[in-house]
Amino acid sequence: MNLQLALSVAVGGAIGSLARYWVGIGSTKLFGLAFPWGTLIINVVGSFLIGAFAESFALRWDAPQAVRVFLTVGICGGFTTFSTFSLDAYLLMERGELWTAGAYMLGSVVLSIGALLAGLHLMRAAL
């Protein structure tokens, strides 16, 4: 096991987790608790970022492996919240809000993949 890579993931994960926590709190203050906006925003932004990073590495940015795992596995992995997404979807269904749960699940998947593609294409255009 490479200690430098492990530390890169750990530090990035801590940063990503703190960012997720702050976005969640801010989203709740702005939008309330009726819909899991925080989780949706986090997953869409995280998908965009990992797409932008991946395309940057592929096209132009010859970053060291420690930087790559810091940004993707660490920050993006700590920031995105698929397990929270799953819980939020279940709780909406359990409350009988099936249409809202369906919209949330579809929106999360479609918007996150769209954001990933946007990140890829932005980096292709910029680099």
Side-chain angles (χ1 to χ4, degrees):
M1 174 187 238
N2 184 316
L3 184 58
Q4 182 185 19
L5 295 180
L7 288 173
S8 295
V9 170
V11 171
I15 292 168
S17 294
L18 283 171
R20 178 178 71 222
Y21 175 69
W22 291 326
V23 170
I25 288 172
S27 297
T28 298
K29 287 181 181 178
L30 285 173
F31 306 116
L33 292 170
F35 186 83
W37 286 109
T39 307
L40 179 61
I41 291 165
I42 288 162
N43 285 335
V44 171
V45 170
S47 294
F48 174 84
L49 289 175
I50 204 165
F53 290 142
E55 197 66 11
S56 296
F57 301 146
L59 294 180
R60 185 153 309 160
W61 188 15
D62 189 26
Q65 188 66 20
V67 172
R68 292 173 186 241
V69 298
F70 169 76
L71 294 171
T72 57
V73 179
I75 290 180
C76 291
F79 183 65
T80 56
T81 58
F82 198 77
S83 58
T84 306
F85 156 79
S86 300
L87 178 61
D88 288 339
Y90 171 76
L91 292 173
L92 287 168
M93 290 185 288
E94 186 177 55
R95 291 193 321 231
E97 299 180 34
L98 299 180
W99 286 105
T100 303
Y104 174 61
M105 290 184 282
L106 183 64
S108 292
V109 172
V110 170
L111 292 172
S112 293
I113 291 171
L116 173 84
L117 292 171
L120 292 171
H121 289 292
L122 176 69
M123 289 301 110
R124 286 178 187 165
L127 304 176

